[in-house]
Amino acid sequence: MLDRITGMQLFSRAMQMGSISAAGRALGLSPGMASRHLDALERRLGVRLCHRSTRRLSLTEAGQHYLELCQRLLPELEEVEARIASQRIEASGVLRFNVPLSFGVRYIAPLIPAFHALHPAVTVDLGLNDRIVDLTGEGWDLTIRIGRLRDSRLVTRRLAACELLVCAAPDYLTGRGRPQSWADLSEHDCLGFSLSGIAKPEEWFYGRSRERRVPVRGPLCANNGDALVACASAGLGIIYEPDFIVADAVRAGRLEVLTLDAPPAALGDIHLLYAPDRTPPAKVRAMIDFLVRAFDGTAPWTMQPV
């Protein structure tokens, strides 16, 4: 099927130049292909647009109306295409970026001013929540996911590693004793993360392959890691959270990392994800390149010993 837009361009150019062959050459088409495009356009419309002879072209009444339409629409189309093409060259427009809440507040939001200084024509629409969004269905340009990736259709870029840690406040450990094994946690107050598949309110998985589990219970479960850190720091119970959430509290002495008789479950890395596109818009490429450079494959929360 011949391209409709090329047919419109050829017809408009032929009427301007007075020759189908000359119009074809201007568009990079052979004389035969140019004639085929015009024939296909007339068949599609069901009318004759011009009378052709060896010396001249003359418009029919329908052709005159259609030429006026082409002269109005084609410049608008070229302007739209130019705008789209420029967005792939120069970063501009609104970038809708979805990020997990605690990670976004701690490690993405502080970087936005530096990104804006580099790309002032980009407006970042930062969405902060801990659910897994439908990237394309909900209109996000870019997202960050922590842990194992499930959607293989998306393109990924690794930012940093991430580990789970079991922590409690010194006051809690003084009053309740220090657990030595995962089995000991059944006798302690454990604060669960209701959105986690690893640190559930009723059981925690451990071992690098998540092959073991221990039943737990406690006075609180929450859908936000910072809320759990605040309560654990106040001595409410033990938490099982990613290192980037607990690192500040551990360094400040509000929490201690517990070493048990088996390693925690492997959480997985932190990745940027975006829709497969051979040439992503410049605003998306700009943010990806910026964050990859900012993290440089390392985790800011582990640059100093925890």
Side-chain angles (χ1 to χ4, degrees):
M1 181 176 179
L2 297 179
D3 177 37
R4 181 178 302 182
I5 301 301
T6 301
M8 294 173 65
Q9 292 172 325
L10 177 77
F11 170 65
S12 179
R13 190 72 65 91
M15 294 303 103
Q16 178 186 3
M17 302 179 71
S19 167
I20 296 174
S21 297
R25 287 193 297 271
L27 295 174
L29 301 173
S30 68
M33 182 57 71
S35 294
R36 287 180 59 194
H37 272 286
L38 187 54
D39 291 341
L41 181 62
E42 290 180 328
R43 285 196 303 271
R44 186 181 301 114
L45 295 172
V47 296
R48 181 172 290 279
L49 297 175
C50 61
H51 301 294
R52 313 179 210 180
S53 70
T54 56
R55 294 187 177 182
R56 64 189 295 268
L57 298 173
S58 60
L59 287 168
T60 65
E61 183 177 357
Q64 180 62 48
H65 291 310
Y66 193 70
L67 179 61
E68 293 172 359
L69 179 67
C70 291
Q71 290 173 338
R72 186 170 69 253
L73 292 181
L74 288 174
E76 293 180 2
L77 177 63
E78 291 171 359
E79 181 180 355
V80 169
E81 289 181 339
R83 288 180 181 178
I84 297 299
S86 68
Q87 289 180 5
R88 293 185 178 275
I89 299 171
E90 178 182 356
S92 62
V94 177
L95 173 70
R96 300 197 68 227
F97 188 13
N98 179 267
V99 185
L101 177 57
S102 296
F103 186 82
V105 170
R106 292 167 181 267
Y107 299 104
I108 298 301
L111 295 174
I112 298 300
F115 176 81
H116 176 71
L118 292 172
H119 305 284
V122 177
T123 298
V124 179
D125 179 0
L126 189 63
L128 299 167
N129 61 69
D130 288 323
R131 68 181 179 87
I132 296 178
V133 300
D134 180 351
L135 190 68
T136 54
E138 298 180 37
W140 297 103
D141 295 301
L142 192 63
T143 189
I144 285 179
R145 290 186 187 163
I146 300 170
R148 296 180 179 178
L149 300 178
R150 301 174 185 174
D151 194 340
S152 60
R153 297 170 299 172
L154 300 176
V155 182
T156 67
R157 289 290 300 272
R158 180 183 179 277
L159 286 182
C162 184
E163 295 288 341
L164 286 167
L165 298 174
V166 179
C167 301
D171 288 347
Y172 176 89
L173 298 174
T174 299
R176 294 290 301 275
R178 182 181 295 270
Q180 302 297 317
S181 69
W182 287 89
D184 291 345
L185 296 179
S186 295
E187 304 302 321
H188 283 266
D189 292 332
C190 296
L191 314 182
F193 183 36
S194 58
L195 298 181
S196 173
I198 301 174
K200 299 179 179 180
E202 70 279 1
E203 64 180 357
W204 289 356
F205 289 80
Y206 65 100
R208 301 309 286 170
S209 300
R210 310 180 188 181
E211 70 275 13
R212 305 179 190 178
R213 66 184 70 186
V214 57
V216 296
R217 57 183 174 82
L220 172 72
C221 67
N223 64 356
N224 176 261
D226 283 316
L228 296 175
V229 169
C231 290
S233 297
L236 187 62
I238 299 174
I239 57 172
Y240 187 23
E241 289 293 307
D243 50 7
F244 69 83
I245 292 181
V246 303
D248 289 343
V250 171
R251 291 193 181 105
R254 298 191 301 272
L255 292 176
E256 293 185 20
V257 177
L258 303 180
T259 301
L260 304 177
D261 59 338
L267 179 58
D269 292 338
I270 298 172
H271 288 90
L272 284 167
L273 287 83
Y274 56 100
D277 187 338
R278 291 183 180 178
T279 310
K283 60 185 180 182
V284 174
R285 296 200 318 272
M287 180 60 81
I288 293 169
D289 292 343
F290 173 79
L291 290 178
V292 168
R293 288 194 303 269
F295 283 85
D296 194 25
T298 63
W301 50 91
T302 57
M303 289 182 180
Q304 295 182 15
V306 172

